[in-house]
Amino acid sequence: MVRARGLSRTYGDGAQAVHALREVSFDVAPGEMVAVVGRSGSGKTTLLNLVGGLDRPDAGTVVVDGTDVSALDDDGLSRLRRESVSYVFQTFGLLPVLTAAENVGVPLRMRRTPVAEREQRVALLLDLVGLREHAGQRPGELSGGQQQRVAIARALAASPRLLLADEPTGELDADTGRAVMALLRALVESEGVTVLVATHDPVMMSLADRVLRIGDGRLQP
Ligand code: ADP
Ligand code: MG
């Protein structure tokens, strides 16, 4: 599902240059849940952004679901983000004026999914994340854990092949984070999605199929 080869990314140049990633190579098989683990500043977000096409590498290639992401133009990257890859962020990233149900439906609107089908899929996902009773509430009326569950439902709405989650439990207390992680793990199984998740949460690591350790921009053996 993901094949990264020699990925490098440097921010700035000269004496100010920061080598955020240095020749990183790895594979993720379809249906696998892989945790990317490393301390703050080790390059986790940079790695996820290159895989998801939010940023471009200075060197190396990354192929996602058969598409060479590093070779796509802006239209191609937009299509990738609309059709194959979705994101869950630490800060949830929900639209505050939309209800939970409307937030979950956003990716389906972008794909012009017919209304009836969209409403059915939104209802199913809100059920799966245990928020059926909260469909009409706005993010500000929900707890952090509930907001992250909405964000996970939204990320799964358009049936992506790959889900990228950047410290999804970072803003949650330990118990809530654990519940969100277990939910994510269960959804990975039921939806057959591949997941790459950046974390330093030991519980999350134990739920992953495999852990990639990153330090100072390099993967550790
Ligand atoms: P992590 O997600 O593991 O905390 P990041 O990928 O965000 O790590 O950052 C890796 C390194 O790159 C850090 O030293 C960080 O300060 C630097 N960095 C990240 N983004 C930028 C940027 N836009 N401009 C300059 N430096 C950056
Ligand atoms: Mg980060």
Side-chain angles (χ1 to χ4, degrees), residues 41 44-46 90 166-167 198:
K44 302 182 296 297
T45 295
T46 302
Q90 182 170 359
D166 195 354
E167 308 207 30

Side-chain angles (χ1 to χ4, degrees), residues 24-220:
V24 165
S25 301
F26 63 94
D27 293 295
V28 181
E32 212 182 4
M33 180 163 175
V34 173
V36 181
V37 174
R39 59 185 177 75
S40 183
S42 57
K44 302 182 296 297
T45 295
T46 302
L47 179 60
L48 260 52
N49 288 347
L50 294 180
V51 172
L54 299 182
D55 186 20
R56 293 172 191 281
D58 299 309
T61 57
V62 57
V63 176
V64 173
D65 196 20
T67 300
D68 183 351
V69 175
S70 31
L72 290 175
D73 61 13
D74 288 348
D75 285 348
L77 289 177
S78 302
R79 199 173 326 112
L80 179 84
R81 292 195 295 264
R82 197 168 59 238
E83 293 176 1
S84 320
V85 178
S86 65
Y87 259 94
V88 175
F89 299 99
Q90 182 170 359
T91 51
F92 321 137
L94 298 172
L95 294 167
V97 299
L98 300 186
T99 64
E102 288 164 346
N103 267 288
V104 175
V106 164
L108 299 171
R109 275 182 192 275
M110 298 202 314
R111 295 183 121 198
R112 301 181 199 287
T113 303
V115 177
E117 196 184 318
R118 187 176 80 218
E119 287 178 350
Q120 201 179 2
R121 177 88 178 137
V122 167
L124 171 77
L125 283 161
L126 285 174
D127 257 355
L128 282 177
V129 300
L131 291 176
R132 182 214 294 244
E133 312 300 323
H134 299 274
Q137 285 170 250
R138 294 194 168 80
E141 300 160 347
L142 297 170
S143 71
Q146 289 171 332
Q147 289 183 58
Q148 194 57 305
R149 278 145 64 198
V150 173
I152 289 170
R154 179 184 58 181
L156 291 169
S159 303
R161 306 295 315 278
L162 176 66
L163 181 81
L164 300 169
D166 195 354
E167 308 207 30
T169 61
E171 297 272 296
L172 306 175
D173 64 70
D175 284 349
T176 308
R178 210 164 295 143
V180 164
M181 257 322 290
L183 173 70
L184 187 57
R185 175 77 245 186
L187 291 174
V188 168
E189 313 266 322
S190 67
E191 297 275 313
V193 63
T194 306
V195 180
L196 193 55
V197 54
T199 186
H200 34 232
D201 182 340
V203 175
M204 189 118 90
M205 288 179 231
S206 68
L207 285 170
D209 296 310
R210 195 153 54 88
V211 172
L212 295 175
R213 286 182 195 283
I214 187 168
D216 199 20
R218 287 184 223 275
L219 282 189
Q220 287 152 4

